[in-house]
Amino acid sequence: YIIKKKNIAIIRSEAVKQMLSAPFHPAVVFDDVKRKKGGSVFLGVIIMLVFYISAIIKSTKSGFLFQNSGTSFNSVLVLLQTVGFILLWTLTNWAIATLLGGIGKPREIFIVITYSIQPLIVGNIIYTVFSYGLNLSEGKFLSVFATAMVLFSVFMVIIGSIKIHDISFGSFLWISFLTFIGMLIVILLFALVVILVQQTGGFIGTMINELFFR
């Protein structure tokens, strides 16, 4: 009340204010991203890195009842699931949307997807904190909360994509479906390239050994 009454500015950066207001006013913020070149790629990168860190904290620092004790932690896998997914979505969605009449630019798509994962960051932090004070039966509320944060982020992505691409909801569903297909194709091709490089390296190593030792 005092802050509002005396008009005290806790956050002076307009870009940061816009970023933090995205979960509360997604339509307004993402419309500004499209119409007024709003948003910040730099802040988007920070959000993406914080998302990666929060995912690691959730996986490694949650209460022991809520950790996957049977599986080993892999930070590279978490990196691919967070940062890799965001970057791949940005490029694939831009390519698919361009072919189907979407007018969103890679900068705008990146800002939308990064600003939209803020609820996921909050969800990861709250999940980690409350996992120390709840048992397994009470922990079901954490799963419900985490699911709600995912749906919240998806809702923001829907609003943002419709705004920046200037498309209907039906077009968004079709473009998103093709985006996921495109991402799977890219991942498959990347895996094939990695396997091919490994086999080629092994073949070259074998040939070198044959030449030098025989």
Side-chain angles (χ1 to χ4, degrees):
Y1 172 80
I2 294 174
I3 290 172
K4 185 175 181 180
K5 190 72 175 178
K6 294 187 176 182
N7 198 23
I8 300 175
I10 299 178
I11 301 175
R12 298 184 181 276
S13 172
E14 292 298 326
V16 175
K17 289 181 180 179
Q18 185 184 50
M19 176 197 73
L20 295 176
S21 67
F24 306 100
H25 309 285
V28 175
V29 172
F30 294 143
D31 188 66
D32 287 343
V33 171
K34 186 63 183 179
R35 310 295 179 186
K36 301 179 181 179
K37 308 298 181 183
S40 170
V41 174
F42 176 72
L43 291 177
V45 172
I46 292 178
I47 294 173
M48 181 173 63
L49 295 178
V50 172
F51 179 44
Y52 170 59
I53 295 172
S54 70
I56 291 179
I57 293 175
K58 178 184 176 183
S59 298
T60 60
K61 302 301 180 181
S62 296
F64 70 93
L65 292 176
F66 299 90
Q67 290 188 18
N68 297 323
S69 57
T71 58
S72 59
F73 175 73
N74 189 332
S75 61
V76 176
L77 180 60
V78 177
L79 180 67
L80 294 176
Q81 292 173 340
T82 54
V83 176
F85 176 84
I86 292 171
L87 296 178
L88 186 57
W89 170 275
T90 299
L91 295 177
T92 309
N93 186 257
W94 169 71
I96 298 296
T98 300
L99 293 174
L100 299 180
I103 59 177
K105 299 177 181 178
R107 172 187 179 275
E108 298 165 352
I109 299 172
F110 179 76
I111 291 174
V112 166
I113 188 67
T114 51
Y115 280 26
S116 297
I117 62 176
Q118 292 182 83
L120 295 180
I121 297 174
V122 174
N124 288 342
I125 295 173
I126 292 179
Y127 186 97
T128 303
V129 173
F130 281 87
S131 66
Y132 286 93
L134 301 176
N135 56 39
L136 286 178
S137 60
E138 295 170 339
K140 294 179 181 179
F141 292 103
L142 286 180
S143 299
V144 173
F145 177 77
T147 302
M149 291 298 98
V150 171
L151 295 177
F152 191 4
S153 292
V154 171
F155 171 75
M156 291 181 63
V157 171
I158 293 173
I159 297 297
S161 298
I162 290 175
K163 287 290 184 180
I164 64 172
H165 288 306
D166 193 20
I167 55 178
S168 64
F169 178 70
S171 297
F172 164 78
L173 293 178
W174 178 237
I175 290 175
S176 297
F177 172 74
L178 294 179
T179 297
F180 280 112
I181 297 298
M183 292 171 66
L184 291 175
I185 293 174
V186 171
I187 293 173
L188 178 61
L189 291 176
F190 178 77
L192 291 176
V193 169
V194 171
I195 293 174
L196 180 61
V197 170
Q198 290 178 341
Q199 291 182 344
T200 303
F203 174 75
I204 294 176
T206 302
M207 292 296 295
I208 292 176
N209 288 333
E210 291 291 336
L211 290 174
F212 280 93
F213 295 103
R214 289 192 178 183

